[in-house]
Amino acid sequence: MRSFFSENENNRAINAIMRVMECINIRPDQIGTEKKENCKFTNVQVLNLLMLFPFFVVRNAYRYSGSSLSRLFCCEKDMFYRFMNDGNIKWRKLLYAMNLQLLRKISRSTEAEHDKPVCLIIDDTDAPKSGRKSELIGKVFSHLEHKTILGYKCLTLLLSDGMSQLFLDFSLHGEEGSNPDKKQGLTDKQRSERFSADYTGLSVEERIKEYTMSKIDKAIEMVKYAIKRGIRFDYLLIDSWFTCADFVRLITSRHIKCHLIGMIKLGKTKYHTQWGDLTANQIIKKLQKQGLTKHNRTLKCIYCTIDVKFAGTTVRLFFSKRGRNGHWNGLLTTDLSLSFLKAYRTYATRWTTEVAYHDCKQLLDFGRCQSVHFSAQIASFTLTMMQYNILCTVKRFEAYETVGALFREATTGTLELSASDRIWELILDTILEIAEMISADASELLSAVIDANPKFHKLYQMYKLVA
């Protein structure tokens, strides 16, 4: 594959993807499970094939046999099903092993430092499902659709340096729901009909425990684990759902130099000020009364700033609104040197998560695994994040406008490979019929056609690759 694509300038996108994948070295012991005796491919090779699926327009393992990739590597779909259903594969460690190598490649290849801060971003997204038989499936509230939906909540940890972003970690969560008679929004019968397997002692057991954890507690664990694995960042960005005293204490107690920027709710939480303990709305009224609001021409908004005591430390609060009748919004940061404009622009980096979710769902079938096994769901989410991280790394060093543009160019090249195989079969049948009609040698006639026509020669090269 590598030699073919490197010789064809029209396939520079898939060639660039191959170059990045060659830099990723996954050891067999990092996977966490041994190779099956009846499988002709190693676990690392199976993992690499799964990562190649979207670039060769393979939606899932069931459709593998009809793809151009299956002509390169002949195997059955069951090999992929067994691998993804294996509850002992250490998917979190695999994702970090790949990311740390990609980050080293980025640091070596980046010539000049840029002034944008490195941000660690926590966010969550819906992972809707259609079948009620999946393991641990239940109903969760979708803030996008403003109603409960069947599926999971996917909590993600993403690293962004302003030029590219990488998914570092994730966890799948469910919600108990408000109705005690319908836990997780399902009846007792519906819950009993869900698939269930015994994962005692397997790696996926940790993931199952995360399913019922508080998202705030799990997010804190993710940040601690990222720091432990050597991830360094300037700011941790969180929305109002996660901004709380626990996160402030987490960041201020770290031994590395980092800060928190989070959106806050203008609710009942109190902050210690020079006027006593006040809520956000009470602080805004005090600042307005004393004429401490300002106008920012760049953002065309009114804002005010105040340093307060919260969670045992001093933090800075920014309040802003647009227009006379606009609603006030609040930001909290542990960086007391930040100006309002820089805090606002840094926090705006959180938008990269929405872009990443959109690309993953539109291009890489994020969350669309149909397996009833929870271990397969974990495998599917991890593979999607690996594929996205590879695309983002390629995009960083190649001349592509978006991840979508890169993905489309890559799949165009591989679709051409698949089509050429079918075209070549038609050409062979035609030449055999002509040779029989004129009583000529079929191999000599075929050689004459290939040598005389460069386009036929290119098709022949493609056919040799997939034959």
Side-chain angles (χ1 to χ4, degrees):
M1 285 172 61
R2 180 72 171 85
S3 60
F4 171 77
F5 286 117
S6 62
E7 293 171 3
N8 191 338
E9 293 182 0
N10 294 328
N11 293 306
R12 65 192 186 102
I14 191 68
N15 185 37
I17 290 170
M18 297 293 181
R19 284 199 303 271
V20 170
M21 289 188 67
E22 285 176 354
C23 297
I24 302 169
N25 180 28
I26 301 295
R27 302 189 309 272
D29 60 285
Q30 290 176 310
I31 293 180
T33 188
E34 294 183 0
K35 174 184 176 295
K36 304 294 182 184
E37 291 184 3
N38 61 339
C39 184
K40 64 181 178 180
F41 292 108
T42 67
N43 287 331
V44 174
Q45 289 171 331
V46 176
L47 176 64
N48 284 330
L49 280 174
L50 284 166
M51 284 197 288
L52 284 172
F53 271 18
F55 310 128
F56 282 80
V57 204
V58 183
R59 296 289 298 273
N60 50 49
Y62 181 79
R63 299 187 182 184
Y64 178 80
S65 60
S67 69
S68 57
L69 195 58
S70 69
R71 291 171 174 79
L72 297 170
F73 306 100
C74 184
C75 59
E76 297 299 323
K77 63 182 183 299
D78 291 343
M79 179 184 75
F80 301 110
Y81 288 139
R82 283 195 300 269
F83 187 80
M84 294 185 69
N85 292 341
D86 192 333
N88 215 29
I89 295 177
K90 302 174 181 177
W91 287 107
R92 176 167 283 127
K93 290 186 177 180
L94 281 175
L95 184 56
Y96 263 101
M98 188 190 83
N99 283 333
L100 291 173
Q101 293 179 63
L102 291 179
L103 288 170
R104 283 196 291 271
K105 175 178 175 60
I106 289 171
S107 63
R108 287 195 303 266
S109 305
T110 303
E111 296 179 359
E113 294 290 330
H114 60 285
D115 58 353
K116 292 184 178 180
V118 177
C119 297
L120 201 61
I121 308 169
I122 293 172
D123 205 352
D124 63 359
T125 187
D126 301 332
K129 298 290 179 181
S130 56
R132 288 191 172 92
K133 305 295 183 182
S134 296
E135 200 166 12
L136 298 178
I137 198 69
K139 290 190 175 181
V140 295
F141 185 79
S142 170
H143 294 280
L144 183 66
E145 298 187 23
H146 303 288
K147 64 178 183 180
T148 56
I149 61 170
L150 187 70
Y152 306 104
K153 279 286 185 181
C154 181
L155 177 67
T156 63
L157 186 69
L158 184 139
L159 186 72
S160 173
D161 64 358
M163 294 178 65
S164 58
Q165 50 272 351
L166 301 176
F167 281 106
L168 296 181
D169 203 352
F170 78 97
S171 58
L172 295 183
H173 295 262
E175 296 175 359
E176 284 296 317
S178 57
N179 188 346
D181 297 326
K182 295 183 71 174
K183 292 181 180 179
Q184 295 182 273
L186 303 177
T187 63
D188 292 340
K189 182 181 178 181
Q190 288 171 332
R191 288 198 307 277
S192 65
E193 290 174 346
R194 296 180 301 185
F195 175 81
S196 180
D198 183 13
Y199 296 111
T200 305
L202 301 181
S203 297
V204 76
E205 188 177 14
E206 176 191 350
R207 297 285 194 164
I208 293 173
K209 291 177 182 177
E210 294 171 356
Y211 180 81
T212 55
M213 279 183 69
S214 156
K215 285 189 285 185
I216 291 177
D217 292 340
K218 185 57 200 176
I220 289 173
E221 278 191 9
M222 283 184 180
V223 174
K224 288 180 177 179
Y225 186 75
I227 294 172
K228 182 180 178 181
R229 294 303 302 268
I231 302 298
R232 296 297 178 260
F233 55 94
D234 300 309
Y235 294 99
L236 173 65
L237 309 182
I238 54 180
D239 65 13
S240 58
W241 176 266
F242 296 98
T243 305
C244 61
D246 290 339
F247 264 105
V248 173
R249 283 191 284 265
L250 168 72
I251 292 301
T252 53
S253 63
R254 296 304 94 186
H255 65 280
I256 63 172
K257 186 181 179 181
C258 60
H259 290 286
L260 173 73
I261 303 179
M263 185 74 74
I264 62 171
K265 296 177 181 177
L266 305 188
K268 297 179 180 180
T269 303
K270 291 191 175 182
Y271 307 89
H272 185 70
T273 70
Q274 56 184 313
W275 307 292
D277 293 342
L278 302 176
T279 63
N281 282 315
Q282 290 171 336
I283 293 172
I284 292 170
K285 289 178 180 178
K286 286 283 187 182
L287 294 173
Q288 284 181 307
K289 189 175 180 179
Q290 296 193 14
L292 296 176
T293 57
K294 300 178 182 178
H295 182 263
N296 186 284
R297 292 183 179 180
T298 305
L299 301 177
K300 298 179 181 179
C301 68
I302 298 170
Y303 75 96
C304 50
T305 307
I306 185 173
D307 291 345
V308 300
K309 284 282 188 179
F310 180 67
T313 189
T314 303
V315 298
R316 178 163 291 179
L317 299 181
F318 298 103
F319 300 103
S320 64
K321 74 169 184 175
R322 283 193 171 91
R324 187 181 298 273
N325 298 318
H327 295 288
W328 286 98
N329 295 300
L331 278 180
L332 178 152
T333 180
T334 57
D335 187 355
L336 303 182
S337 66
L338 269 188
S339 65
F340 167 69
L341 184 59
K342 187 174 180 181
Y344 184 94
R345 285 177 169 170
T346 302
Y347 187 74
T349 307
R350 276 196 71 253
W351 179 250
T352 58
T353 60
E354 301 303 326
V355 176
Y357 291 151
H358 179 269
D359 285 337
C360 285
K361 291 176 180 180
Q362 293 294 317
L363 306 175
L364 303 172
D365 289 338
F366 182 83
R368 293 186 185 175
C369 175
Q370 296 178 343
S371 174
V372 295
H373 290 259
F374 192 70
S375 53
Q377 297 294 335
I378 297 295
S380 174
F381 279 92
T382 308
L383 287 166
T384 299
M385 291 179 181
M386 287 179 167
Q387 292 152 358
Y388 180 80
N389 291 351
I390 289 169
L391 285 172
C392 277
T393 305
V394 173
K395 175 182 172 292
R396 186 185 184 101
F397 303 115
E398 301 290 333
Y400 296 99
E401 292 182 2
T402 63
V403 166
L406 169 60
F407 180 80
R408 283 188 290 273
E409 187 166 332
T411 52
T412 298
T414 53
L415 280 171
E416 180 184 287
L417 179 65
S418 180
S420 69
D421 185 34
R422 289 163 174 75
I423 293 170
W424 188 253
E425 288 177 1
L426 292 173
I427 292 172
L428 285 178
D429 291 340
T430 303
I431 288 178
L432 286 171
E433 289 186 14
I434 294 173
E436 189 174 339
M437 289 171 60
I438 63 175
S439 300
D441 184 83
S443 59
E444 291 181 1
L445 184 60
L446 180 62
S447 297
V449 170
I450 293 172
D451 293 338
N453 193 309
K455 291 183 179 179
F456 280 143
H457 182 74
K458 180 182 177 183
L459 281 171
Y460 178 60
Q461 291 298 109
M462 289 182 174
Y463 174 72
K464 285 201 303 180
L465 179 67
V466 298

